[in-house]
Each structure stands twice: as C-alpha cells, then as structure tokens.
Coordinates of all heavy atoms in Angstrom, one line a residue:
Q11 N 0.8 -1.2 0.1 CA 0.0 0.1 0.0 C 0.9 1.4 0.0 O 0.4 2.3 -0.4 CB -0.9 0.0 1.2 CG -2.1 -0.9 1.1 CD -1.7 -2.3 1.4 OE1 -0.5 -2.7 1.8 NE2 -2.6 -3.3 1.3
A12 N 2.1 1.2 0.4 CA 3.1 2.3 0.4 C 4.2 2.0 -0.5 O 5.3 2.2 -0.1 CB 3.4 2.7 1.8
L13 N 3.9 1.6 -1.6 CA 5.0 1.1 -2.6 C 6.0 2.3 -2.8 O 5.4 3.3 -3.3 CB 4.4 0.5 -3.8 CG 5.5 0.1 -4.9 CD1 6.2 -1.2 -4.3 CD2 4.8 -0.2 -6.2
D14 N 7.2 2.2 -2.8 CA 8.1 3.2 -3.0 C 8.8 3.0 -4.4 O 8.6 1.9 -4.9 CB 9.1 3.5 -2.0 CG 10.0 2.2 -1.7 OD1 10.2 1.5 -2.6 OD2 10.6 2.2 -0.6
A15 N 9.6 3.9 -4.8 CA 10.2 3.8 -6.2 C 11.3 2.7 -6.2 O 11.7 2.3 -7.3 CB 10.8 5.1 -6.5
G16 N 11.8 2.3 -5.1 CA 13.0 1.3 -5.1 C 14.3 2.0 -5.5 O 14.4 3.3 -5.4
P17 N 15.3 1.2 -5.8 CA 16.6 1.7 -6.0 C 16.6 2.7 -7.2 O 15.8 2.6 -8.2 CB 17.5 0.4 -6.4 CG 16.7 -0.7 -5.8 CD 15.2 -0.3 -5.8
R18 N 17.4 3.7 -7.0 CA 17.3 4.9 -8.1 C 18.1 4.5 -9.3 O 19.2 3.6 -9.2 CB 17.8 6.1 -7.5 CG 16.8 6.5 -6.4 CD 17.5 7.8 -5.6 NE 17.6 9.0 -6.4 CZ 16.5 9.7 -6.7 NH1 15.4 9.6 -6.1 NH2 16.6 10.9 -7.5
L19 N 17.9 5.2 -10.4 CA 18.7 5.1 -11.6 C 19.6 6.4 -11.8 O 18.9 7.4 -11.9 CB 17.7 5.0 -12.9 CG 18.5 4.8 -14.2 CD1 19.2 3.5 -14.4 CD2 17.4 5.0 -15.4
D20 N 20.8 6.2 -11.8 CA 21.6 7.4 -11.9 C 21.7 7.9 -13.3 O 21.3 7.2 -14.3 CB 23.1 7.1 -11.4 CG 23.7 6.1 -12.4 OD1 24.2 6.4 -13.4 OD2 23.9 5.0 -12.0
K21 N 22.0 9.2 -13.4 CA 21.9 9.9 -14.7 C 23.0 9.3 -15.8 O 22.6 9.5 -17.0 CB 22.4 11.4 -14.5 CG 22.0 12.4 -15.7 CD 22.1 13.7 -15.3 CE 21.7 14.7 -16.5 NZ 22.2 14.3 -17.8
V22 N 24.0 8.8 -15.2 CA 25.1 8.3 -16.2 C 24.4 7.0 -16.9 O 24.4 7.0 -18.3 CB 26.3 7.7 -15.5 CG1 27.2 7.0 -16.4 CG2 27.0 8.9 -14.9
H23 N 23.6 6.2 -16.2 CA 23.0 5.1 -16.9 C 21.9 5.5 -17.8 O 21.6 5.0 -18.9 CB 22.5 4.1 -15.9 CG 23.6 3.1 -15.4 ND1 24.3 3.3 -14.2 CD2 24.0 2.0 -15.9 CE1 25.2 2.3 -14.0 NE2 25.0 1.4 -14.9
F24 N 21.2 6.5 -17.3 CA 20.0 7.1 -18.1 C 20.5 7.6 -19.4 O 20.0 7.5 -20.4 CB 19.3 8.1 -17.3 CG 17.9 8.5 -17.9 CD1 17.0 7.6 -18.1 CD2 17.7 9.8 -18.1 CE1 15.8 7.9 -18.7 CE2 16.5 10.2 -18.7 CZ 15.5 9.3 -19.0
D25 N 21.7 8.4 -19.4 CA 22.2 8.9 -20.5 C 22.6 8.0 -21.6 O 22.6 8.1 -22.7 CB 23.4 10.0 -20.2 CG 22.8 11.3 -19.5 OD1 21.5 11.5 -19.6 OD2 23.5 12.1 -19.0
Q26 N 23.4 6.9 -21.0 CA 23.8 5.8 -21.9 C 22.6 5.2 -22.6 O 22.6 5.0 -23.9 CB 24.6 4.7 -21.0 CG 25.8 5.2 -20.6 CD 26.4 4.1 -19.6 OE1 25.8 3.2 -19.2 NE2 27.7 4.4 -19.2
L27 N 21.4 5.0 -21.9 CA 20.1 4.4 -22.5 C 19.8 5.3 -23.6 O 19.3 4.9 -24.6 CB 19.2 4.1 -21.3 CG 18.0 3.5 -21.9 CD1 17.6 2.5 -20.8 CD2 16.9 4.5 -22.0
L28 N 19.7 6.7 -23.2 CA 19.2 7.6 -24.3 C 20.0 7.6 -25.6 O 19.4 7.5 -26.6 CB 19.0 9.0 -23.7 CG 18.0 9.2 -22.6 CD1 18.1 10.5 -22.0 CD2 16.7 8.9 -23.1
R29 N 21.3 7.5 -25.4 CA 22.1 7.5 -26.5 C 21.8 6.3 -27.4 O 21.8 6.4 -28.6 CB 23.6 7.6 -26.2 CG 24.1 8.9 -25.8 CD 25.7 8.9 -25.8 NE 26.2 8.1 -24.6 CZ 26.3 8.5 -23.4 NH1 26.0 9.8 -23.1 NH2 26.8 7.7 -22.4
S30 N 21.6 5.2 -26.7 CA 21.3 3.9 -27.5 C 20.1 4.0 -28.2 O 19.9 3.5 -29.3 CB 21.5 2.7 -26.5 OG 20.2 2.7 -25.7
V31 N 19.0 4.6 -27.6 CA 17.7 4.8 -28.1 C 17.7 5.6 -29.5 O 17.3 5.2 -30.5 CB 16.7 5.5 -27.2 CG1 15.6 5.9 -28.0 CG2 16.4 4.4 -26.2
F32 N 18.6 6.7 -29.3 CA 18.6 7.6 -30.5 C 19.5 7.0 -31.6 O 19.1 7.2 -32.9 CB 19.2 9.0 -30.0 CG 18.2 9.8 -29.4 CD1 18.5 10.2 -28.1 CD2 16.9 10.1 -29.8 CE1 17.6 11.0 -27.3 CE2 16.0 10.9 -29.2 CZ 16.3 11.3 -27.9
I33 N 20.6 6.3 -31.3 CA 21.3 5.5 -32.3 C 20.5 4.5 -33.1 O 20.6 4.4 -34.2 CB 22.6 5.0 -31.7 CG1 23.6 6.0 -31.2 CG2 23.3 4.0 -32.7 CD1 24.8 5.4 -30.4
R34 N 19.7 3.8 -32.3 CA 18.8 2.8 -32.9 C 17.9 3.4 -33.8 O 17.6 2.9 -34.9 CB 18.2 1.9 -31.8 CG 17.3 0.8 -32.2 CD 16.5 0.2 -31.1 NE 17.5 -0.4 -30.1 CZ 17.1 -0.9 -28.9 NH1 15.8 -0.8 -28.7 NH2 18.0 -1.4 -28.1
Q35 N 17.3 4.6 -33.4 CA 16.3 5.1 -34.3 C 16.9 5.7 -35.5 O 16.3 5.7 -36.6 CB 15.6 6.4 -33.5 CG 14.5 7.0 -34.2 CD 13.4 6.1 -34.5 OE1 12.9 5.3 -33.5 NE2 12.9 6.0 -35.6
L36 N 18.1 6.2 -35.4 CA 19.0 6.8 -36.5 C 19.2 5.6 -37.5 O 19.0 5.8 -38.7 CB 20.2 7.5 -36.2 CG 21.1 7.9 -37.2 CD1 20.4 9.1 -38.0 CD2 22.3 8.5 -36.6

C-alpha cells in the first residue's frame, strides 16, 4: 500500500540508455 520507487537510476546510466535509443532510431 505504500510502494516506493525502489533503487534509483543514476543519470550516467540514463544518458547511456538515451544515446542507445537515438542511435537505434537513426
């Protein structure tokens, strides 16, 4: 009932993921 977000995702990993998304789309 009080579910939290859990472990956080740091910006470095998030930026890596975004780069891969845009490369794949290109």
Side-chain angles (χ1 to χ4, degrees):
Q11 287 80 3
L13 181 68
D14 62 24
R18 297 171 68 82
L19 177 68
D20 62 78
K21 193 174 187 307
V22 171
H23 278 93
F24 190 59
D25 287 346
Q26 289 175 350
L27 181 140
L28 290 177
R29 280 195 294 272
S30 71
V31 167
F32 288 123
I33 290 172
R34 183 182 302 170
Q35 186 62 48
L36 179 61

